[in-house]
């Protein structure tokens, strides 16, 4: 085991990918000379050269499209988008091209591109750099969408994503880059199919992903102090969703709360709730609850930003209500 | 690759013309549905350009790409079956008229978001460059694409990274129904490319021999390692799609351009040179008609994909 951070785990995964496969390139805004907006790719250009770690102009549609084309042409490109809000400039490429090429070619072409982007709030970056739009992408057939919430997944999801014959979107929550902990020295590829039970419990299932996992685990500890044993599920992969792990848990606990940093209306949490209603309705003892962001663009001042986001207290309250003690 | 004879180019254009005239009839008969964008009038661009490419080069085109697919060597049967939505189509019927793909022949679509495929072409060229392959990517698009941000981003990337992309602008003077001078502050499109450091030329896109000569030169430059934009000034004789009343242009304008019909232009020139007579022309007409009718029969007899397969071809069938 070694002490490391989420950022370093991502960097180790990138370095390993570039080392192992000459078809792998990393491209995006400021990934080379600057070292990445969140310093994830620091040092990689020096090590692998500016052709394989390639700075791009501020042309999200252009360079994401080029990543898609490069994937069609036989490379295994990793495209970094600085933040999910900027990915909207590349939404056409991702949804109209990457997600459709296999289908509209009748299965002849595949787009093995990996698109990484920062997501989420908590750093006072206001309303154009802080949103959680994972649900937009999770809506689209043809994409695989993952959200590493742990050091193991930060280290291990990329290698598996690069083996995927289809586009994979990796969401890295900005609040996680400095997350520190122990990581096995031989940590490597992990699956992109299964949700993980991060804490077992029998009374209520708390379902979350990405940047909210830490808050939810803290909430589970507080609940334990009040004799409520919460089971915490980290979805890990938002598309395709691992229904089996979620339903197995909900059938045992008979209660569920979904925690999602996206907005409530039309959001990803609603999808999880709907699946529980479709598949486990008669096993529920309480309405399924959601803890989501407030219906507001993320504000700049810290107190308002924090008030807009799912917080530990809100999760505890929703869980207590679900177990009938709210 | 061998340079085709002028007779071959004439046949190429006649094949595309005949194929599309049949498509229009079949549309009326309900055999083809959805959007159908005919290339009639613009055939000299594909017929002049495509033979300049080698088999390992890549073609990326728009939703008006029946001619490109046919002249890239995708069998007429597979193209027509695609129009019919049959499983024997070149995209298994999943794409239809706007999404013709044939990976083996490196016909990489068939893309229908205007200019959205230009960055993709840049990426295909980036892959060739990175993997040390001497290939060229030829990317066709209409004048309307020049108004999209993707065009500008793609030009800049191709020039910045010196990638082997041949951009072929099929300037038919209209973005759907809006005339070039009504949507471009600078209607000289070649200047747009040059502004990014991409060398460019503009040629008469109605004259297949002119296009062919320009294409040879352009492909040579691109293969040497620099992007190039070739503007082919052409004209669409038919409506934009089958749902277009053509309120935006006069029939006199269309008639004027039809005087320069690329097929008639080449046929007349070959006659003058003594390389074509009535009998030879009739034989060519019969020959392409036979090929098209065979494609129609094949398409009509082909099976539909079973509904049980609906959700196939969304993701690879072997997960990571």
């Amino acid at each position: 085991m070694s002490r490391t951070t989420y950022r370093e785990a991502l960097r180790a995964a990138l370095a390993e990918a570039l080392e192992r496969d000459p078809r792998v390139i990393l491209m995006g805004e400021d990934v080379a000379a600057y070292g990445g907006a969140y310093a994830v790719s620091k040092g990689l250009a020096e090590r692998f050269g500016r052709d394989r770690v390639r700075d791009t102009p501020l042309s999200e549609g252009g360079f994401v499209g080029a990543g898609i084309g490069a994937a069609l042409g036989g490379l295994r490109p990793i495209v970094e988008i600085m933040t999910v809000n900027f990915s909207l400039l590349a939404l056409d490429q991702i949804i109209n091209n990457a997600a459709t090429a296999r289908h509209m070619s009748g299965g002849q072409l595949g787009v093995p591109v990996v698109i990484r982007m920062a997501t989420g709030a908590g750093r006072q970056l206001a309303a154009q750099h802080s949103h959680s739009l994972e649900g937009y992408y999770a809506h689209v057939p043809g994409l695989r969408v993952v959200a590493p919430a742990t050091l193991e997944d930060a280290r291990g999801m990329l290698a598996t994503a690069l083996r995927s014959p289809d586009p994979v979107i990796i969401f890295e929550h900005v609040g996680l880059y400095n997350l520190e902990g122990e990581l096995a020295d031989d940590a490597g590829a992990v699956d992109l199919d299964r949700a993980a039970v991060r804490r077992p419990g029998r009374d209520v299932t708390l379902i979350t992903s990405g940047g909210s996992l830490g808050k939810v685990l803290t909430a589970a500890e507080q609940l334990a102090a009040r004799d409520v044993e919460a089971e915490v599920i980290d979805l890990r992969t938002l598309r395709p969703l691992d229904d089996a792990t979620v339903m197995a848990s909900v059938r045992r606990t008979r209660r569920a709360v979904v925690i999602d940093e996206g907005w409530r209306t039309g959001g990803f949490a609603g999808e999880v709730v709907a699946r529980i209603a479709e598949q486990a309705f008669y096993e529920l003892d309480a309405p399924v609850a959601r803890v989501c962001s407030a219906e507001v663009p993320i504000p700049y001042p810290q107190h308002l930003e924090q008030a807009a986001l799912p917080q530990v207290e809100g999760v505890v309250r929703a869980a207590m209500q679900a177990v009938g003690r709210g | 690759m061998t340079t085709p004879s002028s007779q071959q180019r004439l046949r190429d254009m006649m094949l595309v013309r005949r194929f599309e005239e049949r498509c229009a009839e079949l549309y009326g008969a309900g055999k083809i549905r959805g959007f159908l964008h005919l290339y009639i009038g613009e055939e000299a661009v594909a017929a002049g350009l495509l033979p300049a490419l080698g088999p390992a080069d890549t073609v990326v085109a728009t939703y008006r790409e029946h001619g490109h697919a046919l002249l890239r060597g995708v069998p007429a049967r597979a193209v027509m079956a695609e129009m019919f939505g049959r499983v024997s189509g070149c995209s298994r019927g999943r794409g239809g008229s706007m999404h013709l793909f044939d990976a083996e022949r490196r016909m990489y679509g068939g893309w229908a978001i205007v200019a959205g495929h230009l960055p993709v072409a840049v990426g295909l060229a980036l892959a060739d460059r990175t993997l040390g392959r001497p290939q060229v990517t030829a990317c066709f698009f209409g004048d309307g694409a020049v108004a999209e941000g993707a065009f500008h981003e793609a030009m800049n990337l191709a020039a910045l990274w010196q990638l082997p992309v041949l951009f072929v602008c099929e300037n038919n003077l209209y973005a759907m129904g809006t005339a070039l001078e009504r949507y471009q502050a600078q209607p000289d499109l070649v200047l747009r490319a040059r502004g990014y450091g991409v060398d460019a030329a503009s040629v008469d896109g109605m004259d297949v021999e002119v296009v062919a000569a320009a294409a040879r030169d352009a492909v040579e430059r691109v293969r040497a390692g620099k992007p190039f934009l070739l503007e082919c000034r052409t004209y669409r004789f038919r409506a934009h799609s089958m749902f277009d009343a053509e309120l935006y242009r006069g029939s006199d304008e269309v008639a004027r351009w039809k005087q320069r019909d690329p097929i008639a232009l080449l046929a007349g020139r070959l006659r003058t040179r003594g390389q074509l007579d009535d009998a030879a022309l009739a034989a060519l007409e019969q020959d392409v008609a036979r090929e098209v009718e065979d494609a129609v029969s094949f398409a009509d007899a082909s099976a539909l994909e079973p509904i049980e397969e609906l959700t196939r071809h969304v993701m690879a069938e072997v997960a990571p």
Side-chain angles (χ1 to χ4, degrees):
Chain A
M1 301 289 272
S2 300
R3 198 90 192 140
T4 190
T5 64
Y6 185 91
R7 173 184 290 109
E8 287 162 358
L10 289 169
R11 187 184 303 140
L14 289 168
E16 182 186 73
L18 287 157
E19 186 73 54
R20 280 196 177 168
D21 187 346
R23 299 172 305 167
V24 171
I25 61 168
L26 172 66
M27 58 198 278
E29 291 155 356
D30 280 320
V31 297
Y34 192 98
Y38 291 97
V40 170
S41 54
K42 200 172 160 196
L44 296 179
E46 291 73 8
R47 190 166 156 200
F48 296 100
R50 292 286 176 91
D51 283 343
R52 296 190 62 210
V53 179
R54 189 178 281 266
D55 279 328
T56 64
L58 307 189
S59 306
E60 286 81 1
F63 70 75
V64 171
I68 292 164
L72 285 169
L75 295 183
R76 289 291 179 274
I78 303 165
V79 182
E80 177 176 312
I81 301 178
M82 214 177 270
T83 172
V84 65
N85 287 82
F86 305 171
S87 80
L88 301 182
L89 293 157
L91 209 53
D92 168 52
Q93 290 296 333
I94 297 171
I95 294 180
N96 282 322
N97 290 350
T100 61
R102 180 179 299 282
H103 182 255
M104 61 189 188
S105 68
Q108 292 177 84
L109 301 185
V111 183
V113 67
V114 174
I115 302 172
R116 301 171 39 238
M117 63 184 92
T119 186
R123 295 170 63 110
Q124 289 193 256
L125 300 178
Q128 294 187 328
H129 291 71
S130 303
H131 289 142
S132 289
L133 306 177
E134 289 87 329
Y136 284 22
Y137 294 97
H139 180 59
V140 182
L143 303 178
R144 184 176 286 268
V145 180
V146 303
T150 64
L151 297 177
E152 287 75 16
D153 281 350
R155 180 68 180 82
M157 279 184 162
L158 181 73
T160 315
L162 283 166
R163 285 204 293 270
S164 167
D166 294 302
V168 180
I169 318 280
I170 302 182
F171 284 99
E172 302 164 3
H173 194 284
V174 290
L176 292 174
Y177 286 122
N178 293 327
L179 176 74
E180 220 180 309
E182 298 289 325
L183 183 66
D185 295 326
D186 62 350
V190 295
D191 77 274
L192 299 183
D193 301 306
R194 304 299 306 273
V197 176
R198 297 296 185 198
R199 177 191 174 109
R202 60 172 192 273
D203 297 327
V204 58
T205 302
L206 308 180
I207 302 158
T208 191
S209 67
S212 297
L213 176 63
K215 292 176 186 174
V216 174
L217 287 168
T218 304
E221 276 173 37
Q222 295 184 7
L223 287 162
R226 298 165 72 173
D227 290 328
V228 174
E229 290 302 328
E231 179 145 298
V232 177
I233 292 184
D234 170 8
L235 290 171
R236 300 180 66 246
T237 295
L238 307 183
R239 185 184 185 96
L241 260 180
D242 174 12
D243 289 353
T245 299
V246 172
M247 299 314 153
S249 175
V250 172
R251 288 191 178 108
R252 267 188 294 104
T253 64
R254 310 177 80 86
R255 296 168 162 89
V257 179
V258 183
I259 303 95
D260 175 19
E261 206 178 295
W263 293 298
R264 178 185 305 259
T265 304
F268 184 76
E271 175 65 25
V272 179
V273 173
R275 288 182 186 222
I276 294 170
E278 285 166 345
Q279 298 175 45
F281 183 78
Y282 294 107
E283 283 140 295
L284 291 173
D285 282 345
V288 181
R290 279 183 285 175
V291 180
C292 298
S293 282
E295 302 275 329
V296 59
I298 299 297
Y300 161 68
Q302 192 183 28
H303 69 296
L304 292 180
E305 180 180 42
Q306 291 303 318
L309 302 175
Q311 298 295 355
V312 173
E313 310 78 70
V315 178
V316 169
R317 199 178 318 122
M320 291 305 285
Q321 266 167 12
V323 298
R325 290 168 51 192
Chain B
M1 123 203 79
T2 54
T3 306
S5 64
S6 292
Q7 282 86 349
Q8 179 61 42
R9 291 197 200 274
L10 182 64
R11 187 192 186 280
D12 285 350
M13 293 194 290
M14 289 169 67
L15 173 68
V16 174
R17 177 75 55 96
R18 178 74 193 162
F19 184 93
E20 290 201 314
E21 284 170 348
R22 279 297 275 140
C23 285
E25 289 168 24
L26 291 159
Y27 198 91
K31 293 283 187 184
I32 299 173
R33 303 309 299 163
F35 282 139
L36 178 67
H37 305 95
L38 300 178
Y39 195 54
I40 291 175
E42 305 185 34
E43 296 93 338
V45 180
L49 203 296
L50 288 169
L53 301 171
D57 295 331
T58 305
V59 177
V60 185
T62 70
Y63 51 86
R64 196 182 299 285
E65 88 292 28
H66 311 139
H68 307 76
L70 289 168
L71 301 186
R72 185 60 187 173
V74 185
R77 284 181 162 198
V79 180
M80 190 62 85
E82 189 62 32
M83 316 290 288
F84 277 54
R86 305 300 168 98
V87 72
S88 56
C90 59
S91 306
R92 293 181 65 85
R94 295 290 180 123
S97 161
M98 297 189 283
H99 305 300
L100 302 174
F101 286 84
D102 185 332
E104 196 188 323
R105 293 176 179 85
R106 299 199 69 76
M107 172 68 197
Y108 272 34
W111 303 83
I113 305 294
V114 171
H117 61 303
L118 272 71
V120 174
V122 167
L124 282 157
L126 175 62
D128 286 333
R129 166 61 49 80
T130 304
L131 298 172
R133 298 183 300 220
Q135 273 89 309
V136 163
T137 297
C139 177
F140 294 82
F141 55 96
D143 50 291
V146 178
E148 294 279 2
F151 168 88
H152 298 269
E153 295 187 10
M155 278 307 124
N156 183 47
L157 285 172
L160 184 69
W161 295 341
Q162 290 291 288
L163 297 175
V165 189
L166 173 55
F167 295 101
V168 184
C169 179
E170 305 180 302
N171 179 0
N172 67 15
L173 302 176
Y174 289 89
M176 209 163 125
T178 304
L180 182 61
E181 66 276 8
R182 291 182 55 236
Y183 73 84
Q184 279 292 356
Q186 172 49 272
D188 185 346
L189 304 182
V190 160
L191 295 180
R192 297 306 181 85
R194 290 187 186 138
Y196 290 101
V198 174
D199 291 337
S202 180
V203 297
D204 177 4
M206 303 305 269
D207 186 332
V208 70
E209 293 184 312
V210 167
V211 175
R216 274 194 300 275
D217 175 58
V219 170
E220 201 173 302
R221 286 159 172 262
V222 173
R223 211 176 298 282
K226 287 177 68 153
F228 191 83
L229 184 143
L230 184 64
E231 180 196 24
C232 300
R233 296 186 310 272
T234 183
Y235 198 79
R236 160 169 65 67
F237 292 172
R238 296 288 188 104
H240 166 75
S241 73
M242 305 308 279
F243 307 107
D244 169 10
E246 294 187 74
L247 303 173
Y248 50 84
R249 64 183 188 183
S251 53
D252 50 334
E253 179 186 301
V254 180
R256 215 163 45 244
W257 276 93
K258 282 186 176 172
Q259 308 272 306
R260 304 207 61 243
D261 184 318
I263 295 176
L265 194 68
L266 180 61
R269 193 178 294 155
L270 292 179
R271 278 178 196 274
T272 313
R273 290 183 199 151
Q275 293 170 338
L276 187 76
D277 58 21
D278 288 347
L281 187 62
L284 275 179
E285 270 165 5
Q286 267 183 13
D287 189 33
V288 299
R290 202 164 35 239
E291 185 171 341
V292 171
E293 290 319 305
D294 170 71
V296 174
S297 307
F298 173 81
D300 213 15
S302 291
L304 290 165
E305 193 173 6
I307 287 176
E308 294 70 46
E309 294 188 10
L310 173 65
T311 57
R312 286 187 65 196
H313 312 303
V314 177
M315 305 290 277
E317 293 179 359
V318 183

